[in-house]
Amino acid sequence: MVAFKGVWTQSFWKAVSGEFVAILIFVFLGLGSTVNWGTTENPQQMDLVQISLCFGLGIATMVHCFGHISGAHLNPAVTIALLCTRNITLAKALFYIMAQSLGAVFGAGLLYLITPPSLIGNLGVTMINEKLSIGHGLLIELVITFQLVFTICASCDPKNKDKSPALAIGISVVIGHLFAINYTGASMNPARSLGPAVIMWKWDNHWIYWIGPIIGAICASAAYDYIYCPDIELKQHLKEAFQRAKQKTKGKYIEVDDIRSHDDNEDLILKTGTIHVIDIDQREGKKGKDSASEILSTV
């Protein structure tokens, strides 16, 4: 229950609702750029630059608008990565993921309602290119999400003085789309794939768009926080922990003096006592003594 402390506050629900609204707008605009307005007589080819810029500029705009309200994760993979690196609480992570998923579904549903049925097509459902295997698709989603989350970590790091998070994240999304649209549809975001999949009810290899981005996001966040730009206090804490683990006891145990009851049934009742260290060799010479007041502890 400690993890859910602070849930019933106004700022918490502002943040959660901010995630919902931001990803609803992002998915609505992004998927809208994938709609083909060509006709049978005059078909239009998919414009990769248009789609990439729409998704990239869309995410940059939402980060700028909602960054100070909710952190503008707009992506379950980002939220899970920050949870794993202890940058967000469990309660906030759970509510964020639910808000992001619902917002994506509402955004895709709204686009479905206002788009002529003859033009809907796949509504931007992410699909792996038929020339690729499932493994290739999984790897591509992992890599492009890695670069996105690493960009998020670097651009939002207080130690990075030359930063513009919204612009950097937007460019990262554009790059990912320009590269991967023809491969996997360039999701990088489980919620973005979930929205149109629910509305169109198309689930072909949908799990890839969750597993790939989540693994890539966790790897990127962990690499940045623990390898490339670690927190000094965390690094010192881990260093001390490893040093204590390597220390040898040198033939000594920790002994706790306590008081036991001396009833006939010889039941042992632990009492509060003091802790001190005794040497094993000295202990050997005390075999003849009553040890009822001594308890060895390895903790």
Side-chain angles (χ1 to χ4, degrees), residues 6 50 67 104 292:
Q50 173 187 334

Side-chain angles (χ1 to χ4, degrees), residues 117-181:
S118 60
L119 301 177
I120 289 176
N122 288 325
L123 201 68
V125 174
T126 48
M127 295 181 292
I128 298 176
N129 191 303
E130 59 183 10
K131 298 179 181 179
L132 298 177
S133 67
I134 294 177
H136 290 145
L138 181 66
L139 179 60
I140 290 169
E141 284 296 320
L142 189 155
V143 172
I144 61 177
T145 307
F146 182 97
Q147 65 87 23
L148 169 62
V149 175
F150 201 92
T151 300
I152 293 173
C153 293
S155 61
C156 296
D157 190 344
K159 296 187 287 293
N160 186 356
K161 297 181 181 180
D162 300 325
K163 61 181 181 178
S164 179
L167 180 60
I169 295 169
I171 293 175
S172 178
V173 172
V174 171
I175 293 172
H177 278 78
L178 287 173
F179 165 73
I181 285 179

